[in-house]
Amino acid sequence: MGRIYLSVPHMGASEERYVRDAFASNWLSSVGPHLDAFEQAFAKRVGRPAVALASGTAAIHLGLRLLGVGPGDEVLVSDLTFVASVNPIRYLGATPVFVDSDPGTWMMSPELLAEALEDRAARGRLVRAVVVVHLYGQCADLEPILQTCRRHGVPVLEDAAEALGATYRGRPAGSFGDVAAFSFNGNKIVTTTGGGMLVASRPGWVEKARYWATQAREPGAAYQHVEMGHNYRLSNVLAAIGRGQLEVLDERVQQRRAVAARYREAFEELSGLTPMPEAAYGLHTHWLSCFLVDEDELGASRDDVLAALAADDIEARPLWKPMHLQPLYASCERYGGEVAADLFERGLCLPSSSSLPIADQRRIVEIVRRVGRRRAVAARGDAMPAAVVA
Ligand SMILES: *Cc1c(COP(=O)(O)O)cnc(C)c1O
């Protein structure tokens, strides 16, 4: 039996044709018709102008730059996230300050964010931006977060790298913040092998980001530079893949949701394994199927489950390790307690590919069930002699 991965690329019918077209046209670099078409299709999907970039991290970097983040600034950011939400804050010479999760959504707590913004203001600190991260295919509770940020006059970057296709109160993830970043890394819900997209509430911002992303070269034949730029543009070949992937996005969302539903159903009678909460405010794509393990209830720890799956060549993972627990960011200030840390201790992501065969999923379910049962049997075994003596 082959290895089962956490999340693998899943191509549709058109990607290869578009790539072949890119080769035939010889538009193989950072300019070309597929780039334009990919950006246009994406902008239509999210409802905001878009610029295609080399990665989601690049999109966060340029997004923060658009918001004016620079040396000496502070940026409030979700504690429970992938490190790429935070590194670009440092690229710009600013300081991240972490906000703990709400146990009901796993994402940034609106109450703690309000507390943080008030406290920073009281201490005369300049919070230049808030990075709110949408985790595992679901939006954070945006309404109270945006309200608080508006009250304080602080702009918002949505890190929607994991949330393409998700909605909040009927609108797409990424259409709420001043800017938003998406990722097409190989493990995301759709992929360009690697890539990202930045969307902005103002068309001029997207133009500015496109200029920065192409080394900030001034118009004209001479290599004239006024501002510092980056080499962050996506190639026309990869945009061709992205076009095809966007065509099957809704199908991929349905397939990931079906994977999650099958897990939920299979684990229903298994106490001690709780799925990630699904909020009533929007569509959860279930990019990854995540669960919390209650060791006493399940009769096995999170790490027991991970070990059993690994022994069978199945890739499963803990949730993101909170940023305040990273040696890289250990000295940063934070608001909240141990919600993110507890989620990290007890949470796991199971294989969630949209192409995951049902037989493979059965194999995963069987192993998880067996781990729980094994401990229960062992515990009963230990209790037997005492019962006999009595
Ligand atoms: C994947 C991811 C990113 C980074 O995207 P890349 O395209 O890999 O640079 C940023 N934030 C979060 C939350 C992610 O999951």
Side-chain angles (χ1 to χ4, degrees), residues 54-58 60 81-85 133-135 159-162 182-188 194-196 287 320:
S55 69
T57 311
I60 296 170
T81 187
F82 179 54
V83 73
S85 308
V133 183
H134 304 315
L135 287 177
D159 181 347
E162 304 179 6
F182 295 86
S183 167
F184 311 116
N185 185 33
N187 65 0
K188 297 301 199 299
W287 166 58
W320 297 125

Side-chain angles (χ1 to χ4, degrees), residues 26-104:
N26 205 36
W27 288 109
L28 299 173
S29 189
S30 56
V31 181
H34 289 294
L35 266 172
D36 299 336
F38 183 36
E39 286 176 348
Q40 275 160 26
F42 197 91
K44 196 158 164 236
R45 173 90 203 195
V46 175
R48 293 235 167 133
V51 53
L53 300 172
S55 69
T57 311
I60 296 170
H61 186 187
L62 295 188
L64 290 173
R65 202 174 156 189
L66 284 170
L67 300 184
V69 172
D73 292 338
E74 292 186 344
V75 176
L76 295 177
V77 55
S78 308
D79 186 16
L80 185 69
T81 187
F82 179 54
V83 73
S85 308
V86 181
N87 284 343
I89 299 170
R90 276 267 173 93
Y91 298 168
L92 290 161
T95 306
V97 177
F98 303 120
V99 180
D100 202 358
S101 299
D102 179 323

